[in-house]
Each structure stands twice: as structure tokens, then as C-alpha cells.
């Protein structure tokens, strides 16, 4: 498993965030967006994805690659909903 992460100080426990990203060049594995420790749906294909994730107890945003994820992630947007 591998991850790419960034601390986002404005993340708050219980807030909902809309996460948008694009996967291209998909070969294998799965990847999940993670907001404050709460993981979104695992993705395993090329495409544009939109998820709503409720923030957990941390201030970290991450992509978690699992089962040897091989692909490119681009066009990432994270916006507060509530």
C-alpha cells in the first residue's frame, strides 16, 4: 500500500466534503480518497469520480493506493459541503 497525503488545517470533524478526481492510465489495483481518516469508495478504473466524504478526526487529505495501484490521479478538488 502507498499513499500521498497533505495536511489541510481547515478540515473539521463531521463536516462533509465533495471530492472530485480523475483516474487515467489505470492498470491495476484500487485507490481511495481519504478525508480526515475516513475513506471513500475504492476505485479501480479510468474515469472522473465524485464522492462525498464525512471528515474523521484528523486534518489529513490523502489518496491511498491498495493492491499495487497503478495509474494517474489528476484534476483533484476538495470542497466543503457542510
Amino acid at each position: 500500500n502507498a499513499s500521498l497525503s497533505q495536511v489541510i488545517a481547515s478540515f473539521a470533524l463531521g463536516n462533509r466534503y465533495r471530492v472530485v478526481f480523475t483516474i487515467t492510465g489505470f492498470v491495476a489495483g484500487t485507490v481511495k480518497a481519504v478525508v480526515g481518516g475516513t475513506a471513500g469508495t475504492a476505485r479501480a478504473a479510468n474515469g472522473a469520480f465524485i464522492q462525498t466524504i464525512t471528515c474523521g478526526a484528523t486534518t489529513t487529505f490523502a489518496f491511498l493506493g491498495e493492491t499495487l495501484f497503478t495509474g494517474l490521479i489528476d484534476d483533484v478538488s476538495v470542497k466543503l459541503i457542510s
Side-chain angles (χ1 to χ4, degrees), residues 8-76:
I8 300 180
S10 62
F11 274 0
L13 177 65
N15 281 351
R16 295 181 315 135
Y17 295 86
R18 175 161 290 127
V19 179
V20 178
F21 61 97
T22 301
I23 297 174
T24 59
F26 175 79
V27 176
T30 62
V31 67
K32 298 176 187 176
V34 181
V35 175
T38 304
T41 303
R43 303 298 182 178
N46 289 322
F49 301 98
I50 300 172
Q51 300 182 52
T52 299
I53 303 173
T54 301
C55 188
T58 74
T59 56
T60 302
F61 175 75
F63 281 103
L64 176 61
E66 299 177 314
T67 57
L68 300 175
F69 173 75
T70 305
L72 303 172
I73 300 170
D74 204 355
D75 304 322
V76 178

